[in-house]
Structures are given as structure tokens and as C-alpha cells.
Amino acid sequence: VMRRNPFGMDICCRKGSRSPLQELYNPTQVSLSNTAILHQIRRDQVTDTCRANSMSSRKRRVLTPNDLKHLVVDEDHEMIYCYVPKVACTNWKRVMMVLTGRGKYSDPMEIPANEAHVSSNLKTLNQYSIPEINHRLKNYMKFLFVREPFERLVSAYRNKFTQKYNTSFHKRYGTKIVRRQRKNATQEALRKGDDVKFEEFVAYLIDPHTQREEPFNEHWQTVYSLCHPCHIHYDLIGKYETLEEDSNYILQLAGVGSYLKFPTYAKSTRTTDEMTTEFFQNISSLHQMQLYEVYKLDFLMFNYSVPNYLKLE
């Protein structure tokens, strides 16, 4: 099917042209080859970390379809995107809807945020048969975006626990955190769970009981557990810190860079490094150390240094 999109470009289908994977590993443009070196360094860092932590040993567990529900598939451009909440995933889902919509959408920012998160709007890898999954993992370009782990964590906390409209999170997690972490909690706090302090949230995350009980919610789950980078070889690791360049590089590789740009708009409420530093002021050094252990693989794998505000003994 050839659909014209409003830009007058054929957005589908790329048969006959080079795939993003070919363009990444054998770039035809000089401008793309310099960036390719940077991404090679990022890939090597992941491989080395997996090896050092012997997670890629022969005994590794086999991924189940349930492990693949964060991997969004774009058939037309032969790409797979693993989305990580709090790392520009709303905008990337919007872009994926433009790429896979066969001309139904042209401007990512015209897609309402809540619509981007409707699961039926995008196809994920767990919806395919095992042979189809393996074929796509081998032949499609796989990418994800990462962010400094504690900045991402503070961003998740601010969004889910300090916004009044997030009542489902307050009920589901807030009440549990208050019950478990707050001595002499009021009846109202136990019922609403809408005033969780960051210190209580951290105590909840490092509590062994929490980790035994159920997997972390995706908004604070480690990237390592969401996207399985030791089991799935990602061709591109984009960073939140270089979001625009990395995103537009991917769109260039996909052959759509001339008419589709990654939406950028500075959100004034964005969680920054300074803000994160402030949030950690009241966390004891013991809790800081335990929390670092939870997210340690994400720090190492994606080359984030230990934050200088941490009071690690």
C-alpha cells in the first residue's frame, strides 16, 4: 500500500530501500557515520556491563512474551522501540504512531498524550509468534532511550505522587507506602495515599518486602528489567540528555528525517539535576546506598557516574 502523507512523501513502505539497520552499520552519509561511532561506544558499554555482571552467561533466563510488552514494532520501517516511562516515551509513542499509521497521522504533537498511551494504537512484540519475534529481533533496528536513573526516579515521584489528579496511583501505591512506611499515619492518609513523602517512597523501593511482593511499577522499574538489554541487542541507545540529536538521528536512519522531526518543547516543570539533588538531601546515606544498589546496573550500563550529591560511605 502506498499512502501519501500530507508532506507529499511516501511514508510507506520502504521495500527496495536500505533498512535502518543497514544504514546504521554501513552508513552512506558521512554525517551519519560520525554519530555511528558514538553509538558503538554506548553499545560496547552495555555489552561490557552485561559481561562483567555475567548476565549474558549461558544460564541466562529465556525471555517470555510478557517480557516483550514494552517493545513497540514498526513494520514499515523495520524498527523496534523499547519505551521507558519518564524518558520522553509519550513523544516517542506519538512518533511511532505517525510512522506506523500509514498516513493517518502526520504531526506527532497533534496526537493527545492519553491517546499515545492507548495500547491498541501501537503493536508490541509480544503479540507475534515466536518465529516472528525472532525474525524481528534479528532483522529490525532496535533502540531505546535512557536517563540518569535518579533523575528519572524523582521525575516519576513528582508526576505520580505530587499531582492531585493521579488518584489511581495514590490509591494503588500511595496507601500501601503510607501504611508500610509511616508511623502513626492518620486515617485520611491511609485512605487517600496522596501525600507520600519522597523519603517514604525511597524506603518503599529499598524494602525487600516490596521487591518480593510484585515487580516494580514501570515508572520506577529499572531500564535493565523493562528492556532486557543483556538479552536483546540494542542497536541504538538514545539518551535523554541528547534527546533531540539522538531522536533525529534515528528518524534519519529510518529515511523519514526530511519530513519528520522529533517534537521538542521545553517543559518548564521538567525534573533537573538540581531538583534531584534537593530531593536527595533528606535521604540518609544508608538509604542512598541501598537505593543506588537497586539502580546500579542502569548507572553502569548506560555510563552514568555516581551523583556527587550521594553520601555513599
Side-chain angles (χ1 to χ4, degrees):
V1 187
M2 273 292 194
R3 302 267 176 122
R4 306 291 297 182
N5 84 346
F7 298 90
M9 304 287 290
D10 292 317
I11 201 158
C12 169
C13 298
R14 46 174 313 117
K15 295 301 158 250
S17 56
R18 286 161 58 86
S19 75
L21 210 52
Q22 291 168 321
E23 198 55 64
L24 171 66
Y25 291 107
N26 298 295
T28 46
Q29 300 170 42
V30 178
S31 62
L32 293 180
S33 56
N34 298 336
T35 316
I37 296 163
L38 165 75
H39 287 279
Q40 179 64 56
I41 293 167
R42 291 182 186 173
R43 281 196 298 276
D44 291 345
Q45 177 77 21
V46 171
T47 308
D48 294 345
T49 307
C50 291
R51 200 169 288 143
N53 292 275
S54 69
M55 285 174 183
S56 50
S57 71
R58 285 288 126 227
K59 298 195 298 292
R60 69 187 190 180
R61 74 184 185 84
V62 175
L63 294 181
T64 65
N66 195 42
D67 291 319
L68 306 174
K69 58 180 190 286
H70 273 248
L71 280 79
V72 174
V73 181
D74 172 2
E75 293 288 349
D76 296 340
H77 305 89
E78 301 190 347
M79 300 198 298
I80 295 175
Y81 159 58
C82 184
Y83 70 89
V84 178
K86 307 314 297 171
V87 193
C89 90
T90 306
N91 277 354
W92 255 111
K93 283 181 175 180
R94 285 170 162 143
V95 169
M96 292 300 275
M97 283 172 72
V98 172
L99 291 173
T100 59
R102 306 271 174 114
K104 190 173 160 190
Y105 311 95
S106 58
D107 177 0
M109 292 318 283
E110 279 177 7
I111 301 170
N114 58 345
E115 204 177 310
H117 296 295
V118 173
S119 55
S120 58
N121 283 333
L122 291 166
K123 194 158 187 191
T124 47
L125 196 58
N126 59 335
Q127 296 169 14
Y128 293 84
S129 70
I130 304 290
E132 288 173 331
I133 288 172
N134 289 332
H135 170 78
R136 281 156 185 76
L137 285 175
K138 188 173 159 204
N139 297 293
Y140 287 16
M141 186 176 82
K142 300 165 296 298
F143 68 95
L144 77 164
F145 275 79
V146 299
R147 183 177 185 176
E148 201 281 338
F150 285 171
E151 193 181 287
R152 177 177 163 241
L153 191 65
V154 168
S155 175
Y157 166 77
R158 291 178 63 217
N159 179 251
K160 299 304 170 196
F161 295 107
T162 68
Q163 304 291 343
K164 289 294 167 220
Y165 61 80
N166 264 321
T167 47
S168 62
F169 268 82
H170 304 156
K171 283 262 186 293
R172 171 89 174 75
Y173 296 99
T175 53
K176 188 185 288 185
I177 294 171
V178 170
R179 190 172 67 245
R180 210 182 282 170
Q181 306 300 338
R182 190 180 301 176
K183 292 183 175 69
N184 313 320
T186 64
Q187 284 307 306
E188 187 183 22
L190 288 165
R191 191 179 77 252
K192 285 187 167 173
D194 64 351
D195 64 344
V196 170
K197 297 185 183 69
F198 186 64
E199 300 87 288
E200 294 171 328
F201 178 52
V202 168
Y204 163 78
L205 293 174
I206 59 179
D207 182 350
H209 183 76
T210 304
Q211 297 175 44
R212 280 196 303 270
E213 189 176 54
E214 60 180 345
F216 277 1
N217 176 278
E218 60 176 21
H219 291 85
W220 48 86
Q221 179 61 281
T222 60
V223 176
Y224 167 74
S225 303
L226 286 176
C227 294
H228 315 286
C230 290
H231 297 75
I232 293 171
H233 172 82
Y234 285 94
D235 303 290
L236 276 164
I237 294 142
K239 293 201 160 189
Y240 193 72
E241 296 75 17
T242 48
L243 177 64
E244 205 172 334
E245 304 93 290
D246 293 345
S247 299
N248 288 323
Y249 175 56
I250 290 167
L251 295 174
Q252 251 183 304
L253 291 171
V256 298
S258 56
Y259 58 88
L260 182 58
K261 293 278 177 274
F262 190 77
T264 53
Y265 60 101
K267 272 169 77 175
S268 53
T269 57
R270 192 176 94 69
T271 301
T272 59
D273 185 47
E274 293 75 36
M275 216 180 269
T276 306
T277 305
E278 261 170 62
F279 272 90
F280 273 86
Q281 293 293 296
N282 301 327
I283 307 295
S284 71
S285 55
L286 174 66
H287 280 189
Q288 287 185 1
M289 207 157 65
Q290 290 171 311
L291 192 68
Y292 179 76
E293 282 303 316
V294 173
Y295 292 92
K296 186 177 177 179
L297 275 176
D298 281 4
F299 275 101
L300 297 174
M301 204 169 272
F302 306 117
N303 206 18
Y304 287 107
S305 48
V306 176
N308 49 21
Y309 54 76
L310 283 198
K311 307 184 281 277
L312 299 183
E313 302 297 272

PDB file of all heavy atoms in Angstrom, residues 104-127:
ATOM      1  N   LYS A 104      -2.227   8.132   8.585  1.00  0.00           N
ATOM      2  CA  LYS A 104      -3.368   8.556   9.407  1.00  0.00           C
ATOM      3  C   LYS A 104      -2.997   9.783  10.256  1.00  0.00           C
ATOM      4  O   LYS A 104      -3.806  10.644  10.531  1.00  0.00           O
ATOM      5  CB  LYS A 104      -3.760   7.383  10.312  1.00  0.00           C
ATOM      6  CG  LYS A 104      -5.067   7.545  11.065  1.00  0.00           C
ATOM      7  CD  LYS A 104      -5.408   6.241  11.778  1.00  0.00           C
ATOM      8  CE  LYS A 104      -6.387   6.461  12.913  1.00  0.00           C
ATOM      9  NZ  LYS A 104      -6.533   5.242  13.735  1.00  0.00           N
ATOM     10  N   TYR A 105      -1.737   9.840  10.688  1.00  0.00           N
ATOM     11  CA  TYR A 105      -1.257  10.985  11.476  1.00  0.00           C
ATOM     12  C   TYR A 105      -0.062  11.577  10.756  1.00  0.00           C
ATOM     13  O   TYR A 105       0.712  10.854  10.138  1.00  0.00           O
ATOM     14  CB  TYR A 105      -0.772  10.539  12.862  1.00  0.00           C
ATOM     15  CG  TYR A 105      -1.709   9.639  13.612  1.00  0.00           C
ATOM     16  CD1 TYR A 105      -1.554   8.251  13.565  1.00  0.00           C
ATOM     17  CD2 TYR A 105      -2.743  10.160  14.386  1.00  0.00           C
ATOM     18  CE1 TYR A 105      -2.410   7.415  14.260  1.00  0.00           C
ATOM     19  CE2 TYR A 105      -3.608   9.331  15.088  1.00  0.00           C
ATOM     20  CZ  TYR A 105      -3.439   7.953  15.021  1.00  0.00           C
ATOM     21  OH  TYR A 105      -4.279   7.120  15.706  1.00  0.00           O
ATOM     22  N   SER A 106       0.088  12.887  10.844  1.00  0.00           N
ATOM     23  CA  SER A 106       1.284  13.488  10.244  1.00  0.00           C
ATOM     24  C   SER A 106       2.089  14.283  11.246  1.00  0.00           C
ATOM     25  O   SER A 106       3.307  14.335  11.167  1.00  0.00           O
ATOM     26  CB  SER A 106       0.883  14.377   9.074  1.00  0.00           C
ATOM     27  OG  SER A 106      -0.011  15.380   9.524  1.00  0.00           O
ATOM     28  N   ASP A 107       1.423  14.903  12.213  1.00  0.00           N
ATOM     29  CA  ASP A 107       2.134  15.715  13.201  1.00  0.00           C
ATOM     30  C   ASP A 107       2.028  15.034  14.564  1.00  0.00           C
ATOM     31  O   ASP A 107       0.935  14.919  15.122  1.00  0.00           O
ATOM     32  CB  ASP A 107       1.510  17.119  13.255  1.00  0.00           C
ATOM     33  CG  ASP A 107       2.162  17.997  14.312  1.00  0.00           C
ATOM     34  OD1 ASP A 107       3.093  17.515  15.001  1.00  0.00           O
ATOM     35  OD2 ASP A 107       1.753  19.165  14.447  1.00  0.00           O
ATOM     36  N   PRO A 108       3.161  14.574  15.115  1.00  0.00           N
ATOM     37  CA  PRO A 108       3.117  13.873  16.405  1.00  0.00           C
ATOM     38  C   PRO A 108       2.414  14.679  17.498  1.00  0.00           C
ATOM     39  O   PRO A 108       1.674  14.117  18.311  1.00  0.00           O
ATOM     40  CB  PRO A 108       4.590  13.669  16.760  1.00  0.00           C
ATOM     41  CG  PRO A 108       5.345  13.805  15.491  1.00  0.00           C
ATOM     42  CD  PRO A 108       4.534  14.691  14.604  1.00  0.00           C
ATOM     43  N   MET A 109       2.633  16.011  17.483  1.00  0.00           N
ATOM     44  CA  MET A 109       2.090  16.820  18.577  1.00  0.00           C
ATOM     45  C   MET A 109       0.581  17.048  18.483  1.00  0.00           C
ATOM     46  O   MET A 109      -0.020  17.607  19.384  1.00  0.00           O
ATOM     47  CB  MET A 109       2.833  18.160  18.677  1.00  0.00           C
ATOM     48  CG  MET A 109       4.280  18.005  19.122  1.00  0.00           C
ATOM     49  SD  MET A 109       4.526  16.801  20.464  1.00  0.00           S
ATOM     50  CE  MET A 109       3.967  17.747  21.861  1.00  0.00           C
ATOM     51  N   GLU A 110      -0.008  16.606  17.382  1.00  0.00           N
ATOM     52  CA  GLU A 110      -1.471  16.703  17.309  1.00  0.00           C
ATOM     53  C   GLU A 110      -2.141  15.495  17.959  1.00  0.00           C
ATOM     54  O   GLU A 110      -3.354  15.454  18.115  1.00  0.00           O
ATOM     55  CB  GLU A 110      -1.909  16.820  15.837  1.00  0.00           C
ATOM     56  CG  GLU A 110      -1.777  18.249  15.326  1.00  0.00           C
ATOM     57  CD  GLU A 110      -2.126  18.379  13.862  1.00  0.00           C
ATOM     58  OE1 GLU A 110      -2.592  17.395  13.264  1.00  0.00           O
ATOM     59  OE2 GLU A 110      -1.910  19.476  13.321  1.00  0.00           O
ATOM     60  N   ILE A 111      -1.338  14.497  18.319  1.00  0.00           N
ATOM     61  CA  ILE A 111      -1.884  13.302  18.972  1.00  0.00           C
ATOM     62  C   ILE A 111      -1.952  13.574  20.478  1.00  0.00           C
ATOM     63  O   ILE A 111      -0.928  13.856  21.097  1.00  0.00           O
ATOM     64  CB  ILE A 111      -0.988  12.070  18.693  1.00  0.00           C
ATOM     65  CG1 ILE A 111      -0.874  11.824  17.181  1.00  0.00           C
ATOM     66  CG2 ILE A 111      -1.528  10.831  19.412  1.00  0.00           C
ATOM     67  CD1 ILE A 111       0.163  10.780  16.783  1.00  0.00           C
ATOM     68  N   PRO A 112      -3.138  13.512  21.080  1.00  0.00           N
ATOM     69  CA  PRO A 112      -3.231  13.771  22.522  1.00  0.00           C
ATOM     70  C   PRO A 112      -2.400  12.759  23.309  1.00  0.00           C
ATOM     71  O   PRO A 112      -2.296  11.592  22.919  1.00  0.00           O
ATOM     72  CB  PRO A 112      -4.723  13.585  22.829  1.00  0.00           C
ATOM     73  CG  PRO A 112      -5.414  13.632  21.510  1.00  0.00           C
ATOM     74  CD  PRO A 112      -4.432  13.171  20.488  1.00  0.00           C
ATOM     75  N   ALA A 113      -1.785  13.227  24.412  1.00  0.00           N
ATOM     76  CA  ALA A 113      -0.904  12.361  25.205  1.00  0.00           C
ATOM     77  C   ALA A 113      -1.607  11.076  25.625  1.00  0.00           C
ATOM     78  O   ALA A 113      -1.045   9.986  25.527  1.00  0.00           O
ATOM     79  CB  ALA A 113      -0.398  13.115  26.427  1.00  0.00           C
ATOM     80  N   ASN A 114      -2.869  11.190  26.071  1.00  0.00           N
ATOM     81  CA  ASN A 114      -3.551   9.981  26.553  1.00  0.00           C
ATOM     82  C   ASN A 114      -3.773   8.978  25.421  1.00  0.00           C
ATOM     83  O   ASN A 114      -3.769   7.773  25.628  1.00  0.00           O
ATOM     84  CB  ASN A 114      -4.852  10.328  27.274  1.00  0.00           C
ATOM     85  CG  ASN A 114      -5.816  11.104  26.385  1.00  0.00           C
ATOM     86  OD1 ASN A 114      -5.421  11.617  25.330  1.00  0.00           O
ATOM     87  ND2 ASN A 114      -7.063  11.199  26.778  1.00  0.00           N
ATOM     88  N   GLU A 115      -3.901   9.504  24.182  1.00  0.00           N
ATOM     89  CA  GLU A 115      -4.107   8.600  23.051  1.00  0.00           C
ATOM     90  C   GLU A 115      -2.822   7.829  22.725  1.00  0.00           C
ATOM     91  O   GLU A 115      -2.866   6.679  22.290  1.00  0.00           O
ATOM     92  CB  GLU A 115      -4.560   9.402  21.822  1.00  0.00           C
ATOM     93  CG  GLU A 115      -5.329   8.554  20.823  1.00  0.00           C
ATOM     94  CD  GLU A 115      -5.847   9.358  19.638  1.00  0.00           C
ATOM     95  OE1 GLU A 115      -6.486  10.415  19.867  1.00  0.00           O
ATOM     96  OE2 GLU A 115      -5.603   8.935  18.507  1.00  0.00           O
ATOM     97  N   ALA A 116      -1.684   8.482  22.977  1.00  0.00           N
ATOM     98  CA  ALA A 116      -0.396   7.827  22.713  1.00  0.00           C
ATOM     99  C   ALA A 116      -0.203   6.610  23.614  1.00  0.00           C
ATOM    100  O   ALA A 116       0.538   5.697  23.285  1.00  0.00           O
ATOM    101  CB  ALA A 116       0.742   8.824  22.919  1.00  0.00           C
ATOM    102  N   HIS A 117      -0.876   6.620  24.767  1.00  0.00           N
ATOM    103  CA  HIS A 117      -0.696   5.516  25.717  1.00  0.00           C
ATOM    104  C   HIS A 117      -1.783   4.436  25.611  1.00  0.00           C
ATOM    105  O   HIS A 117      -1.796   3.502  26.394  1.00  0.00           O
ATOM    106  CB  HIS A 117      -0.630   6.057  27.147  1.00  0.00           C
ATOM    107  CG  HIS A 117       0.565   6.942  27.375  1.00  0.00           C
ATOM    108  ND1 HIS A 117       1.859   6.464  27.317  1.00  0.00           N
ATOM    109  CD2 HIS A 117       0.668   8.270  27.614  1.00  0.00           C
ATOM    110  CE1 HIS A 117       2.708   7.468  27.522  1.00  0.00           C
ATOM    111  NE2 HIS A 117       2.009   8.570  27.699  1.00  0.00           N
ATOM    112  N   VAL A 118      -2.676   4.581  24.630  1.00  0.00           N
ATOM    113  CA  VAL A 118      -3.686   3.535  24.420  1.00  0.00           C
ATOM    114  C   VAL A 118      -2.983   2.371  23.738  1.00  0.00           C
ATOM    115  O   VAL A 118      -2.446   2.516  22.644  1.00  0.00           O
ATOM    116  CB  VAL A 118      -4.848   4.060  23.537  1.00  0.00           C
ATOM    117  CG1 VAL A 118      -5.813   2.928  23.189  1.00  0.00           C
ATOM    118  CG2 VAL A 118      -5.592   5.176  24.269  1.00  0.00           C
ATOM    119  N   SER A 119      -2.956   1.216  24.411  1.00  0.00           N
ATOM    120  CA  SER A 119      -2.117   0.118  23.917  1.00  0.00           C
ATOM    121  C   SER A 119      -2.489  -0.357  22.516  1.00  0.00           C
ATOM    122  O   SER A 119      -1.629  -0.760  21.746  1.00  0.00           O
ATOM    123  CB  SER A 119      -2.124  -1.045  24.898  1.00  0.00           C
ATOM    124  OG  SER A 119      -3.452  -1.452  25.144  1.00  0.00           O
ATOM    125  N   SER A 120      -3.768  -0.270  22.146  1.00  0.00           N
ATOM    126  CA  SER A 120      -4.172  -0.775  20.824  1.00  0.00           C
ATOM    127  C   SER A 120      -3.675   0.118  19.680  1.00  0.00           C
ATOM    128  O   SER A 120      -3.742  -0.267  18.513  1.00  0.00           O
ATOM    129  CB  SER A 120      -5.691  -0.900  20.754  1.00  0.00           C
ATOM    130  OG  SER A 120      -6.282   0.351  21.020  1.00  0.00           O
ATOM    131  N   ASN A 121      -3.151   1.318  20.008  1.00  0.00           N
ATOM    132  CA  ASN A 121      -2.668   2.208  18.952  1.00  0.00           C
ATOM    133  C   ASN A 121      -1.293   1.820  18.416  1.00  0.00           C
ATOM    134  O   ASN A 121      -0.843   2.334  17.394  1.00  0.00           O
ATOM    135  CB  ASN A 121      -2.635   3.661  19.439  1.00  0.00           C
ATOM    136  CG  ASN A 121      -4.023   4.260  19.450  1.00  0.00           C
ATOM    137  OD1 ASN A 121      -4.889   3.836  18.690  1.00  0.00           O
ATOM    138  ND2 ASN A 121      -4.257   5.231  20.311  1.00  0.00           N
ATOM    139  N   LEU A 122      -0.607   0.951  19.142  1.00  0.00           N
ATOM    140  CA  LEU A 122       0.721   0.519  18.707  1.00  0.00           C
ATOM    141  C   LEU A 122       0.824  -0.987  18.874  1.00  0.00           C
ATOM    142  O   LEU A 122       0.239  -1.552  19.790  1.00  0.00           O
ATOM    143  CB  LEU A 122       1.802   1.217  19.547  1.00  0.00           C
ATOM    144  CG  LEU A 122       1.964   2.726  19.316  1.00  0.00           C
ATOM    145  CD1 LEU A 122       2.788   3.346  20.423  1.00  0.00           C
ATOM    146  CD2 LEU A 122       2.600   3.014  17.953  1.00  0.00           C
ATOM    147  N   LYS A 123       1.595  -1.625  18.008  1.00  0.00           N
ATOM    148  CA  LYS A 123       1.745  -3.078  18.109  1.00  0.00           C
ATOM    149  C   LYS A 123       3.027  -3.400  18.871  1.00  0.00           C
ATOM    150  O   LYS A 123       4.081  -2.838  18.576  1.00  0.00           O
ATOM    151  CB  LYS A 123       1.789  -3.696  16.710  1.00  0.00           C
ATOM    152  CG  LYS A 123       1.610  -5.197  16.754  1.00  0.00           C
ATOM    153  CD  LYS A 123       1.120  -5.783  15.445  1.00  0.00           C
ATOM    154  CE  LYS A 123       0.817  -7.263  15.637  1.00  0.00           C
ATOM    155  NZ  LYS A 123       0.583  -7.974  14.386  1.00  0.00           N
ATOM    156  N   THR A 124       2.939  -4.286  19.845  1.00  0.00           N
ATOM    157  CA  THR A 124       4.135  -4.647  20.605  1.00  0.00           C
ATOM    158  C   THR A 124       4.581  -6.061  20.253  1.00  0.00           C
ATOM    159  O   THR A 124       3.803  -6.882  19.768  1.00  0.00           O
ATOM    160  CB  THR A 124       3.883  -4.522  22.122  1.00  0.00           C
ATOM    161  OG1 THR A 124       2.648  -5.158  22.437  1.00  0.00           O
ATOM    162  CG2 THR A 124       3.816  -3.054  22.547  1.00  0.00           C
ATOM    163  N   LEU A 125       5.857  -6.330  20.527  1.00  0.00           N
ATOM    164  CA  LEU A 125       6.487  -7.565  20.066  1.00  0.00           C
ATOM    165  C   LEU A 125       5.847  -8.824  20.661  1.00  0.00           C
ATOM    166  O   LEU A 125       5.876  -9.891  20.052  1.00  0.00           O
ATOM    167  CB  LEU A 125       7.986  -7.511  20.395  1.00  0.00           C
ATOM    168  CG  LEU A 125       8.897  -8.499  19.678  1.00  0.00           C
ATOM    169  CD1 LEU A 125       8.812  -8.362  18.166  1.00  0.00           C
ATOM    170  CD2 LEU A 125      10.339  -8.323  20.135  1.00  0.00           C
ATOM    171  N   ASN A 126       5.262  -8.701  21.846  1.00  0.00           N
ATOM    172  CA  ASN A 126       4.651  -9.882  22.484  1.00  0.00           C
ATOM    173  C   ASN A 126       3.399 -10.371  21.749  1.00  0.00           C
ATOM    174  O   ASN A 126       2.877 -11.424  22.059  1.00  0.00           O
ATOM    175  CB  ASN A 126       4.325  -9.598  23.960  1.00  0.00           C
ATOM    176  CG  ASN A 126       3.373  -8.433  24.135  1.00  0.00           C
ATOM    177  OD1 ASN A 126       3.294  -7.555  23.278  1.00  0.00           O
ATOM    178  ND2 ASN A 126       2.652  -8.408  25.223  1.00  0.00           N
ATOM    179  N   GLN A 127       2.938  -9.594  20.755  1.00  0.00           N
ATOM    180  CA  GLN A 127       1.738 -10.003  20.006  1.00  0.00           C
ATOM    181  C   GLN A 127       2.068 -10.904  18.816  1.00  0.00           C
ATOM    182  O   GLN A 127       1.180 -11.316  18.080  1.00  0.00           O
ATOM    183  CB  GLN A 127       0.983  -8.751  19.516  1.00  0.00           C
ATOM    184  CG  GLN A 127       0.452  -7.900  20.672  1.00  0.00           C
ATOM    185  CD  GLN A 127      -0.043  -6.541  20.205  1.00  0.00           C
ATOM    186  OE1 GLN A 127      -0.240  -6.308  19.010  1.00  0.00           O
ATOM    187  NE2 GLN A 127      -0.257  -5.630  21.144  1.00  0.00           N
TER     188      GLN A 127
END
